[in-house]
């Protein structure tokens, strides 16, 4: 198996695995009492919403996976499979988060401040008034597509300074970013995030 095939396979595994976790967690939040004591908004929530949300969620995930394959197949030669050391790995992941989060702040602000963008695109996401984990990707397709530009900018910055992109930094960022999105849309009080500086929690979101 070539490096590009491994890159695609592991990246897809991270994406599918995180979304499967989000789906199972959504089932637990909506259909069981396991997480009731962690809920910010009391009550079980509308369990019928999961089925109603799934078509758009599945469509978004499917498009994301297809674009991931196309993108990595085209740009896979820019990635290197060399363990960078723990400190360097954490530094690159932190840099990716800083670039991505800075971009997302201004992007999200524009989605709220520009009436056309809010009414035509972002308003869909705000239907989630009592959110459950998988609703992180219950958005207009153009919204999450635009949101990925922050990640692209971060990776481009790494490539500009290093001449390559470390695959382990990319995978670590992808895993943590997906889990963070699921967490802040879960409607559950965080267990660890409130102890980490600069990390937005569910309450803030």
């Amino acid at each position: 198996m070539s490096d590009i095939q491994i890159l695609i396979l592991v990246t897809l595994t991270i994406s599918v695995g995180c979304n499967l976790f989000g789906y199972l967690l959504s089932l637990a939040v909506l259909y069981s009492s396991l997480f009731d004591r962690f809920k910010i908004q009391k009550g079980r929530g509308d369990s019928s919403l999961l089925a109603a949300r799934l078509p758009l969620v599945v469509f978004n995930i499917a498009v994301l996976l297809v674009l991931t394959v196309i993108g990595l197949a085209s740009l896979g030669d820019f990635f290197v499979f060399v363990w960078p050391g723990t400190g360097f790995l954490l530094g690159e992941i932190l840099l990716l988060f800083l670039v991505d989060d800075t971009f997302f702040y201004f992007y999200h602000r524009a989605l709220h401040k520009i009436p056309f963008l809010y009414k035509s695109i972002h308003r869909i996401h705000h239907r989630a008034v009592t959110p459950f984990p998988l609703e992180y990707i219950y958005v207009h397709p153009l919204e999450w597509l635009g949101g990925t530009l922050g990640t692209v900018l971060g990776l481009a910055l790494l490539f500009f300074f290093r001449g390559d992109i470390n695959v382990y930094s990319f995978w670590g960022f992808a895993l943590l970013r997906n889990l963070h999105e699921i967490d802040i849309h879960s409607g559950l009080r965080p267990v660890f995030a409130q102890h980490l500086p600069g990390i937005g929690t569910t309450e803030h979101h």
Side-chain angles (χ1 to χ4, degrees), residues 95-122:
L95 177 63
L96 287 171
F97 267 108
L98 288 174
V99 174
D100 182 65
D101 206 46
T102 300
F103 170 83
F104 186 78
Y105 170 79
F106 290 103
Y107 175 61
H108 190 237
R109 188 177 177 87
L111 289 173
H112 277 268
K113 293 293 184 181
I114 301 174
F116 172 77
L117 292 180
Y118 183 81
K119 292 178 181 178
S120 302
I121 295 177
H122 193 51

Side-chain angles (χ1 to χ4, degrees), residues 85-155:
T86 303
F88 195 83
L89 174 76
L90 294 176
E92 286 204 335
I93 291 175
L94 178 60
L95 177 63
L96 287 171
F97 267 108
L98 288 174
V99 174
D100 182 65
D101 206 46
T102 300
F103 170 83
F104 186 78
Y105 170 79
F106 290 103
Y107 175 61
H108 190 237
R109 188 177 177 87
L111 289 173
H112 277 268
K113 293 293 184 181
I114 301 174
F116 172 77
L117 292 180
Y118 183 81
K119 292 178 181 178
S120 302
I121 295 177
H122 193 51
R123 189 174 183 179
I124 292 176
H125 189 56
H126 279 274
R127 293 176 185 167
V129 292
T130 308
F132 52 86
L134 206 57
E135 283 191 310
Y136 88 93
I137 200 165
Y138 179 70
V139 295
H140 192 291
L142 292 179
E143 178 172 344
W144 70 258
L145 276 170
T148 62
L149 291 177
T151 300
V152 173
L153 288 172
L155 293 174

Side-chain angles (χ1 to χ4, degrees), residues 61-82:
I61 293 173
V63 173
L64 174 63
L65 296 179
V66 170
L67 292 180
T68 297
V69 171
I70 294 172
L72 293 180
S74 303
L75 304 173
D77 289 334
F78 296 130
F79 289 82
V80 292
F81 288 76
V82 178

